[in-house]
């Protein structure tokens, strides 16, 4: 029986999203004796920087757990608190973390922490035949064309009494006054 669930963390910068994501990812991985459990977890974030940071923190935390009991006081508290949450002996947590870290490093391509766009691209490639797409397709972002299309749509929807009309008119006047 597979538990189907997902978590969404929506918070401003510096609010601890990555900390919570890493902690929950570790709990999912380490609650099981299965060192390949990480292959069943998908973590998606917005930017490449955030995905890289999360991967680095996960690996770093697994190294910390693996180093138990030879840790600084703060790290020792972290390991013991996580062990308590998972209802495990800290030594058992250490062995599971070590096995998980080794599995991740030996199967790094299956370490699914990625951006929304890379996940979407992978999904499209998986179903390219069903979608009648060439499996070698490439995504190109023609930002000028997209911007022109967005502006055209905006103008099409504007009416004299529309609230955006006044905002746009003020913006255009300011640009003209600044000779831009």
């Amino acid at each position: 029986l597979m538990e189907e669930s997902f978590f969404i963390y929506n918070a401003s910068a510096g609010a601890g999203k990555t900390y919570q994501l890493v902690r929950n990812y570790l709990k999912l991985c380490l609650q099981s004796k299965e060192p390949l459990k990480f292959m069943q977890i998908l973590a998606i974030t917005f930017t490449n920087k955030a995905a890289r940071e999360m991967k680095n923190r996960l690996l770093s935390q697994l190294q910390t757990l693996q180093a138990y009991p030879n840790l600084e006081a703060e790290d020792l508290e972290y390991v013991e608190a996580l062990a308590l949450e998972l209802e495990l002996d800290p030594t058992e947590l250490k062995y599971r973390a070590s096995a998980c870290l080794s599995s991740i490093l030996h199967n790094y391509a299956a370490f699914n922490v990625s951006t929304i766009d890379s996940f979407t691209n992978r999904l499209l490639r998986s179903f390219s035949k069903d979608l009648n797409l060439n499996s070698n397709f490439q995504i190109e972002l023609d930002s000028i064309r997209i911007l022109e299309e967005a502006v055209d749509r905006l103008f099409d929807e504007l009416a004299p009494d529309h609230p955006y009309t006044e905002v746009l008119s003020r913006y255009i006047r300011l640009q003209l006054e600044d000779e831009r």
Side-chain angles (χ1 to χ4, degrees):
L1 182 69
M2 180 184 240
E3 182 183 318
E4 294 182 25
S5 62
F6 63 94
F7 302 98
I8 298 173
Y9 294 96
N10 185 12
S12 59
K17 290 184 300 289
T18 304
Y19 175 85
Q20 284 301 326
L21 285 168
V22 167
R23 190 167 178 88
N24 284 321
Y25 190 104
L26 289 174
K27 284 167 50 179
L28 288 170
C29 283
L30 301 173
Q31 68 189 0
S32 167
K33 288 183 180 181
E34 173 55 53
L36 297 173
K37 180 75 173 172
F38 76 94
M39 290 181 171
Q40 299 171 4
I41 302 171
L42 171 64
I44 301 175
T45 187
F46 284 100
T47 66
N48 287 321
K49 180 182 176 191
R52 232 181 354 267
E53 180 183 349
M54 187 171 169
K55 276 186 169 183
N56 289 338
R57 280 205 207 170
L58 283 164
L59 295 173
S60 174
Q61 290 297 337
L62 286 168
Q63 288 173 329
T64 298
L65 294 169
Q66 181 181 336
Y68 178 85
N70 305 322
L71 298 166
E72 300 287 326
E74 185 179 325
D75 289 334
L76 205 53
E77 284 179 34
Y78 178 83
V79 173
E80 290 169 352
L82 187 59
L84 188 64
E85 266 185 74
L86 292 171
E87 299 176 356
L88 293 173
D89 180 76
T91 304
E92 174 64 20
L93 182 60
K94 168 189 175 145
Y95 291 124
R96 288 186 187 187
S98 181
C100 181
L101 179 60
S102 179
S103 294
I104 288 173
L105 294 176
H106 285 95
N107 302 281
Y108 199 77
F111 188 25
N112 288 315
V113 177
S114 65
T115 60
I116 293 170
D117 58 319
S118 64
F119 172 71
T120 305
N121 287 336
R122 206 170 72 214
L123 202 58
L124 281 173
R125 285 197 195 290
S126 297
F127 293 100
S128 61
K129 187 174 182 180
D130 299 322
L131 296 168
N132 293 322
L133 293 173
N134 181 335
S135 62
N136 295 323
F137 72 87
Q138 284 190 321
I139 295 180
E140 292 183 24
L141 194 58
D142 183 354
S143 57
I144 293 172
R145 195 178 106 235
I146 291 171
L147 186 58
E148 286 174 354
E149 204 170 300
V151 169
D152 287 346
R153 283 186 184 179
L154 177 67
F155 285 143
D156 287 345
E157 293 177 16
L158 286 180
D161 60 339
H162 196 283
Y164 293 146
T165 304
E166 179 58 33
V167 172
L168 188 59
S169 294
R170 271 190 274 142
Y171 176 76
I172 291 171
R173 276 193 296 278
L174 284 172
Q175 293 299 310
L176 287 170
E177 288 171 11
D178 291 344
E179 297 179 3
R180 295 195 306 195

